[in-house]
Amino acid sequence: MTKSQWSWWSITVIALVAGIILRFHQASVWNPYWGYDGGAHIEYVRVLKEERRLPTLTESYVAWHEPLFYVLAVPLLPNTFEDLRGSAVNALPTGIGILTMLLLASWTWVRTK
């Protein structure tokens, strides 16, 4: 491996580790209701979990979103909605973000060999 490849990989690893640390930190402190339309997304998951159906467009303006992410979030949603900050529901976007970063790092590795 050349010196420039080592430099490139050093930067990549530092960015990857920083991104993972940031994701875990945000998952532990972020309340989904703080988002622009966080309540609507939580309501989407609640309808899936409690009523076992997709929400209609008249019930929620985010009902047009693809349901896969929400279906995956159903088992992670807590039974009470008072405090979602640090709950397991935050693990889903964290996991997806980390998986994306790892896939990008592996793609970078293949492309720079």
Side-chain angles (χ1 to χ4, degrees):
M1 209 182 256
T2 67
K3 185 178 178 180
S4 66
Q5 286 175 319
W6 277 110
S7 297
W8 177 255
W9 270 103
S10 299
I11 293 169
T12 301
V13 168
I14 290 169
L16 184 63
V17 170
I20 289 171
I21 291 169
L22 181 63
R23 285 284 184 173
F24 279 119
H25 173 266
Q26 287 300 96
S28 69
V29 299
W30 182 254
N31 184 335
Y33 280 112
W34 294 342
Y36 168 69
D37 53 1
H41 293 288
I42 296 298
E43 181 62 18
Y44 193 122
V45 179
R46 188 203 62 77
V47 168
L48 283 172
K49 183 176 185 174
E50 294 177 1
E51 300 178 23
R52 302 200 189 295
R53 65 177 180 82
L54 292 173
T56 64
L57 286 172
T58 57
E59 293 174 320
S60 174
Y61 59 92
V62 296
W64 59 272
H65 288 208
E66 296 82 4
L68 179 61
F69 178 83
Y70 301 101
V71 169
L72 294 174
V74 166
L76 302 173
L77 195 66
N79 291 327
T80 60
F81 298 100
E82 288 90 24
D83 185 22
L84 290 169
R85 186 182 67 224
S87 69
V89 76
N90 290 343
L92 184 60
T94 299
I96 291 171
I98 290 171
L99 179 63
T100 302
M101 287 188 292
L102 292 173
L103 288 171
L104 287 170
S106 65
W107 179 79
T108 303
W109 173 256
V110 170
R111 298 296 294 166
T112 59
K113 272 187 169 180

